[in-house]
Coordinates of all heavy atoms in Angstrom, one line a residue:
M1 N -0.9 -10.4 9.3 CA 0.2 -9.6 9.1 C -0.4 -8.6 7.9 O -0.8 -8.9 6.9 CB 1.5 -10.2 8.6 CG 1.9 -11.2 9.7 SD 2.5 -10.4 11.2 CE 4.2 -10.0 10.8
A2 N -0.2 -7.3 8.2 CA -0.6 -6.3 7.2 C 0.4 -6.2 6.0 O 1.5 -6.6 6.2 CB -0.7 -4.9 7.9
Y3 N -0.1 -5.7 5.0 CA 0.7 -5.3 3.8 C 1.6 -4.1 4.2 O 1.2 -3.2 5.0 CB 0.0 -5.1 2.6 CG -0.4 -6.4 1.8 CD1 -1.1 -7.4 2.4 CD2 0.0 -6.6 0.5 CE1 -1.4 -8.6 1.7 CE2 -0.3 -7.7 -0.2 CZ -1.0 -8.7 0.4 OH -1.4 -9.9 -0.3
I4 N 2.8 -4.1 3.6 CA 3.6 -2.9 3.8 C 4.1 -2.4 2.3 O 4.2 -3.2 1.5 CB 4.8 -3.1 4.7 CG1 5.7 -4.3 4.2 CG2 4.3 -3.3 6.1 CD1 7.0 -4.4 5.0
I5 N 4.4 -1.1 2.3 CA 4.9 -0.5 1.0 C 6.3 -0.2 1.2 O 6.8 0.4 2.0 CB 4.0 0.6 0.6 CG1 2.5 0.4 0.4 CG2 4.6 1.5 -0.5 CD1 1.6 1.6 0.3
S6 N 7.0 -0.8 0.2 CA 8.6 -0.6 0.2 C 8.9 0.7 -0.4 O 8.2 1.5 -1.0 CB 9.2 -1.7 -0.7 OG 9.1 -1.5 -2.1
D7 N 10.2 1.0 -0.3 CA 10.8 2.3 -0.9 C 10.6 2.4 -2.4 O 11.0 3.5 -2.9 CB 12.2 2.5 -0.4 CG 12.2 2.8 1.1 OD1 11.2 3.2 1.8 OD2 13.3 2.6 1.6
E8 N 10.3 1.4 -3.0 CA 10.2 1.3 -4.5 C 9.0 2.2 -4.9 O 8.8 2.6 -6.1 CB 9.9 -0.2 -5.0 CG 11.1 -0.9 -4.8 CD 12.3 -0.5 -5.4 OE1 12.3 -0.2 -6.7 OE2 13.4 -0.5 -4.6
C9 N 8.1 2.5 -3.9 CA 6.9 3.2 -4.2 C 7.2 4.6 -5.0 O 8.1 5.3 -4.5 CB 6.1 3.6 -3.0 SG 4.8 4.7 -3.1
I10 N 6.4 4.9 -6.0 CA 6.6 6.2 -6.8 C 5.5 7.2 -6.5 O 5.3 8.1 -7.4 CB 6.8 5.9 -8.3 CG1 5.6 5.1 -8.8 CG2 8.1 5.1 -8.6 CD1 5.6 4.9 -10.4
S11 N 4.7 6.8 -5.5 CA 3.6 7.7 -5.1 C 2.6 8.0 -6.2 O 2.2 9.2 -6.4 CB 4.3 9.1 -4.7 OG 5.0 8.8 -3.3
C12 N 2.2 7.0 -7.0 CA 1.2 7.2 -8.0 C -0.1 7.4 -7.5 O -1.1 7.9 -8.1 CB 1.4 6.1 -9.0 SG 0.8 4.5 -8.5
G13 N -0.4 6.7 -6.2 CA -1.7 6.7 -5.7 C -2.7 5.8 -6.1 O -3.9 5.6 -5.6
A14 N -2.3 4.9 -7.0 CA -3.3 3.8 -7.5 C -3.7 2.8 -6.4 O -4.9 2.5 -6.5 CB -2.5 3.0 -8.6
C15 N -2.9 2.5 -5.5 CA -3.3 1.6 -4.5 C -4.3 2.2 -3.5 O -5.2 1.6 -3.2 CB -2.1 1.1 -3.7 SG -1.1 2.5 -3.0
A16 N -4.1 3.5 -3.2 CA -5.0 4.2 -2.3 C -6.5 4.2 -2.8 O -7.5 4.0 -2.1 CB -4.5 5.6 -2.0
A17 N -6.5 4.3 -4.1 CA -7.9 4.2 -4.8 C -8.4 2.9 -4.8 O -9.8 2.7 -4.8 CB -7.8 4.8 -6.2
E18 N -7.8 1.9 -4.6 CA -8.3 0.5 -4.7 C -8.5 -0.1 -3.3 O -9.3 -1.1 -3.2 CB -7.3 -0.4 -5.4 CG -7.3 -0.2 -6.9 CD -8.5 -0.4 -7.7 OE1 -9.2 -1.3 -7.3 OE2 -8.8 0.4 -8.5
C19 N -7.9 0.4 -2.3 CA -7.9 -0.2 -0.9 C -9.5 -0.1 -0.5 O -10.0 1.0 -0.4 CB -7.1 0.4 0.1 SG -7.2 -0.3 1.6
P20 N -10.2 -1.3 -0.1 CA -11.6 -1.3 0.2 C -11.8 -0.7 1.6 O -12.9 -0.4 2.0 CB -11.9 -2.7 0.2 CG -10.6 -3.4 0.5 CD -9.5 -2.6 -0.2
V21 N -10.7 -0.6 2.4 CA -11.0 -0.1 3.8 C -10.2 1.4 4.0 O -10.2 1.7 5.2 CB -10.5 -1.1 4.8 CG1 -11.3 -2.4 4.8 CG2 -8.9 -1.5 4.6
G22 N -9.8 2.0 3.0 CA -9.1 3.2 3.1 C -7.8 3.2 3.9 O -7.5 4.2 4.6
A23 N -7.1 2.1 4.0 CA -5.9 2.0 4.8 C -4.8 2.7 4.3 O -3.7 2.8 5.0 CB -5.7 0.4 5.1
I24 N -4.8 3.3 3.0 CA -3.5 3.7 2.3 C -3.6 5.2 2.3 O -4.6 5.7 1.8 CB -3.3 3.1 1.0 CG1 -3.3 1.6 1.1 CG2 -1.9 3.5 0.5 CD1 -3.2 0.8 -0.2
S25 N -2.6 5.9 2.7 CA -2.4 7.3 2.5 C -1.1 7.8 2.1 O -0.2 7.0 2.2 CB -2.9 7.9 4.0 OG -2.0 7.6 5.0
E26 N -1.1 9.0 1.6 CA 0.2 9.5 1.2 C 1.1 10.0 2.3 O 0.7 10.6 3.3 CB 0.0 10.7 0.3 CG 1.3 11.2 -0.5 CD 1.1 12.3 -1.5 OE1 -0.1 12.6 -1.6 OE2 2.1 12.5 -2.3
G27 N 2.4 9.4 2.4 CA 3.3 9.7 3.4 C 4.4 10.5 3.0 O 4.4 11.2 2.0
D28 N 5.5 10.5 3.6 CA 6.6 11.3 3.3 C 7.5 10.5 2.2 O 8.4 9.8 2.6 CB 7.5 11.5 4.6 CG 8.7 12.4 4.3 OD1 8.7 13.1 3.3 OD2 9.6 12.5 5.2
G29 N 7.3 10.9 1.0 CA 8.2 10.3 0.0 C 7.6 8.9 -0.6 O 8.1 8.4 -1.6
K30 N 6.5 8.4 0.0 CA 5.8 7.2 -0.5 C 4.7 7.0 0.2 O 4.3 7.8 1.3 CB 6.8 5.9 -0.2 CG 6.9 5.5 1.3 CD 7.7 4.3 1.4 CE 7.7 3.7 2.9 NZ 8.3 2.5 3.1
Y31 N 3.8 6.2 -0.3 CA 2.4 5.9 0.4 C 2.7 4.9 1.4 O 3.6 4.1 1.5 CB 1.4 5.3 -0.7 CG 0.7 6.5 -1.5 CD1 1.4 7.4 -2.1 CD2 -0.6 6.7 -1.4 CE1 0.9 8.5 -2.8 CE2 -1.3 7.6 -2.0 CZ -0.6 8.6 -2.6 OH -1.2 9.6 -3.4
V32 N 1.8 4.9 2.5 CA 1.8 4.1 3.6 C 0.5 3.4 4.0 O -0.5 3.9 3.7 CB 2.4 4.9 4.9 CG1 3.8 5.3 4.7 CG2 1.5 6.1 5.2
I33 N 0.6 2.2 4.6 CA -0.6 1.4 4.8 C -0.7 1.5 6.4 O 0.3 1.1 7.0 CB -0.3 -0.1 4.5 CG1 -0.3 -0.1 2.9 CG2 -1.4 -1.0 5.1 CD1 0.0 -1.4 2.3
D34 N -1.9 1.8 7.0 CA -2.2 1.7 8.2 C -2.4 0.2 8.6 O -3.3 -0.4 8.3 CB -3.5 2.4 8.5 CG -3.9 2.4 10.0 OD1 -3.4 1.6 10.9 OD2 -4.9 3.0 10.3
A35 N -1.4 -0.4 9.4 CA -1.4 -1.8 9.7 C -2.7 -2.3 10.5 O -3.1 -3.4 10.3 CB -0.1 -2.2 10.3
D36 N -3.2 -1.4 11.2 CA -4.4 -1.7 12.1 C -5.6 -1.8 11.2 O -6.6 -2.5 11.6 CB -4.5 -0.8 13.2 CG -3.5 -0.9 14.2 OD1 -3.0 -1.9 14.4 OD2 -3.1 0.2 14.7
A37 N -5.7 -1.1 10.0 CA -6.8 -1.1 9.2 C -6.7 -2.1 8.0 O -7.8 -2.5 7.6 CB -7.0 0.3 8.6
C38 N -5.6 -2.5 7.6 CA -5.4 -3.3 6.5 C -5.9 -4.7 6.7 O -5.8 -5.4 7.8 CB -3.8 -3.6 6.2 SG -3.5 -4.7 4.9
V39 N -6.8 -5.3 5.8 CA -7.4 -6.6 5.9 C -6.8 -7.7 5.0 O -7.2 -8.7 4.7 CB -9.0 -6.5 5.6 CG1 -9.7 -5.8 6.7 CG2 -9.2 -6.1 4.2
E40 N -5.6 -7.2 4.4 CA -4.7 -8.1 3.7 C -5.5 -8.7 2.5 O -5.3 -9.8 2.2 CB -4.4 -9.3 4.6 CG -3.6 -8.9 5.8 CD -3.4 -10.0 6.8 OE1 -3.0 -11.0 6.5 OE2 -3.7 -9.8 8.1
C41 N -6.2 -7.9 1.7 CA -6.8 -8.4 0.5 C -5.9 -8.5 -0.7 O -6.4 -9.2 -1.5 CB -8.0 -7.4 0.2 SG -7.6 -5.8 -0.3
G42 N -4.9 -7.8 -0.7 CA -3.9 -7.9 -1.7 C -4.2 -6.9 -2.9 O -3.5 -6.9 -3.9
A43 N -5.3 -6.1 -2.8 CA -5.7 -5.3 -3.9 C -4.7 -4.3 -4.3 O -4.4 -4.0 -5.5 CB -6.9 -4.5 -3.6
C44 N -4.0 -3.8 -3.3 CA -2.8 -2.8 -3.6 C -1.8 -3.4 -4.3 O -1.2 -2.8 -5.3 CB -2.4 -2.2 -2.2 SG -1.9 -3.5 -1.0
A45 N -1.4 -4.6 -4.0 CA -0.2 -5.3 -4.7 C -0.7 -5.5 -6.1 O 0.2 -5.4 -6.9 CB 0.2 -6.6 -3.9
G46 N -1.9 -5.7 -6.3 CA -2.4 -6.1 -7.7 C -2.3 -4.9 -8.7 O -2.2 -5.1 -9.9
V47 N -2.5 -3.7 -8.2 CA -2.5 -2.6 -9.0 C -1.2 -1.8 -9.1 O -1.0 -1.0 -9.9 CB -3.7 -1.6 -8.6 CG1 -5.0 -2.2 -8.8 CG2 -3.5 -1.0 -7.3
C48 N -0.4 -2.1 -8.2 CA 0.9 -1.3 -8.1 C 1.8 -1.5 -9.3 O 2.2 -2.7 -9.6 CB 1.6 -1.5 -6.8 SG 3.2 -0.6 -6.7
P49 N 2.3 -0.5 -10.1 CA 3.1 -0.6 -11.2 C 4.5 -1.1 -10.8 O 5.3 -1.6 -11.8 CB 3.0 0.8 -11.9 CG 2.8 1.7 -10.7 CD 1.9 1.0 -9.8
V50 N 5.0 -0.9 -9.6 CA 6.3 -1.2 -9.3 C 6.3 -2.3 -8.1 O 7.4 -2.6 -7.5 CB 7.1 0.0 -8.8 CG1 7.2 1.0 -10.0 CG2 6.4 0.7 -7.7
S51 N 5.2 -3.0 -8.0 CA 5.3 -4.1 -6.9 C 5.8 -3.7 -5.6 O 6.4 -4.4 -4.9 CB 6.0 -5.3 -7.6 OG 5.3 -5.8 -8.6
A52 N 5.4 -2.4 -5.1 CA 5.9 -2.0 -3.8 C 5.2 -2.6 -2.5 O 5.8 -2.9 -1.6 CB 5.8 -0.4 -3.9
P53 N 3.9 -2.8 -2.7 CA 3.1 -3.3 -1.6 C 3.3 -4.9 -1.5 O 3.2 -5.6 -2.5 CB 1.7 -3.1 -1.8 CG 1.6 -2.2 -2.8 CD 2.8 -2.4 -3.7
A54 N 3.7 -5.3 -0.2 CA 3.9 -6.8 -0.1 C 3.5 -7.3 1.3 O 3.5 -6.4 2.2 CB 5.2 -7.3 -0.3
A55 N 3.0 -8.5 1.5 CA 2.7 -9.0 2.8 C 4.0 -9.0 3.7 O 5.0 -9.3 3.1 CB 2.1 -10.4 2.6
E56 N 3.7 -8.5 4.8 CA 4.9 -8.5 5.8 C 5.6 -9.8 6.0 O 4.9 -10.8 6.1 CB 4.5 -7.8 7.1 CG 5.3 -6.8 7.5 CD 4.6 -6.0 8.7 OE1 3.7 -6.4 9.2 OE2 5.3 -5.0 9.1
Ligands
SF4_1 FE1 -5.8 -2.1 1.6 FE2 -6.0 -4.6 0.9 FE3 -3.7 -3.3 0.6 FE4 -4.5 -4.0 3.0 S1 -4.0 -5.4 1.4 S2 -3.6 -2.0 2.3 S3 -6.7 -3.7 2.8 S4 -5.7 -2.9 -0.5
SF4_2 FE1 3.2 3.5 -4.4 FE2 2.4 1.4 -5.8 FE3 0.7 2.7 -4.3 FE4 1.6 3.7 -6.6 S1 0.4 1.9 -6.3 S2 1.4 4.8 -4.6 S3 3.7 3.0 -6.5 S4 2.6 1.5 -3.6

């Protein structure tokens, strides 16, 4: 199961810079994860200041 970003996201962009497969991009009001690209490494959750990314 891929990680998903909740509405808590403040669009800081920290997670996108850390994702090893480039699965995270800026969306409408928050960042979003491409579920097909995510390898579930957890790096995004580790750097997020508001704990928005979580395993589905
Ligand atoms: Fe990218 Fe890893 Fe987060 Fe998936 S869990 S979106 S691969 S940083
Ligand atoms: Fe949103 Fe957290 Fe990613 Fe920043 S690190 S863009 S708050 S999900």
Side-chain angles (χ1 to χ4, degrees):
M1 301 294 271
Y3 273 59
I4 55 172
I5 293 173
S6 77
D7 290 344
E8 297 302 307
C9 174
I10 55 173
S11 295
C12 72
C15 56
E18 292 297 321
C19 181
V21 295
I24 307 175
S25 59
E26 189 168 10
D28 185 15
K30 67 173 187 175
Y31 273 58
V32 292
I33 294 172
D34 178 351
D36 292 330
C38 176
V39 296
E40 303 167 50
C41 70
C44 50
V47 297
C48 181
V50 295
S51 301
E56 225 168 9

